[in-house]
Amino acid sequence: MEVSFKKLWKMLIDKDMKKKDLQASAGISWASVTKLSKNENVSMEVLMKVCQAMNCDIGDIMELIPTEDDTKQK
């Protein structure tokens, strides 16, 4: 499975926010924002801070996408 944070970036656009605004309001490091930008894994603590800052649920900012390996295993 791969993680996609496209929903988060769309939400930022809808709320007229920039990544630096997210960093400041969520109180997360720039390294965490970079990981989110690259669809890399971040800690649950970071995800919870983002959800709190954006006033949303975790499913509103991310989704899991099956990979070819996932479909071959079934």
Side-chain angles (χ1 to χ4, degrees):
M1 290 269 202
E2 292 182 358
V3 176
S4 172
F5 293 103
K6 286 182 182 179
K7 290 180 173 184
L8 173 59
W9 309 128
K10 183 179 182 325
M11 185 182 289
L12 285 180
I13 291 168
D14 292 344
K15 293 187 177 201
D16 197 29
M17 291 177 70
K18 294 183 172 19
K19 290 178 182 178
K20 65 180 180 180
D21 300 325
L22 173 65
Q23 179 203 6
S25 64
I28 59 176
S29 69
W30 190 249
S32 294
V33 175
T34 301
K35 284 185 175 185
L36 290 168
S37 298
K38 295 179 179 182
N39 291 323
E40 294 178 358
N41 293 334
V42 293
S43 71
M44 184 59 77
E45 182 180 356
V46 169
L47 295 175
M48 289 172 26
K49 286 180 178 182
V50 170
C51 287
Q52 186 174 14
M54 300 300 287
N55 194 25
C56 66
D57 192 15
I58 196 164
D60 297 329
I61 63 168
M62 66 174 284
E63 61 184 336
L64 297 176
I65 302 171
T67 60
E68 275 189 35
D69 292 340
D70 296 328
T71 55
K72 287 180 182 176
Q73 290 177 354
K74 292 182 179 181

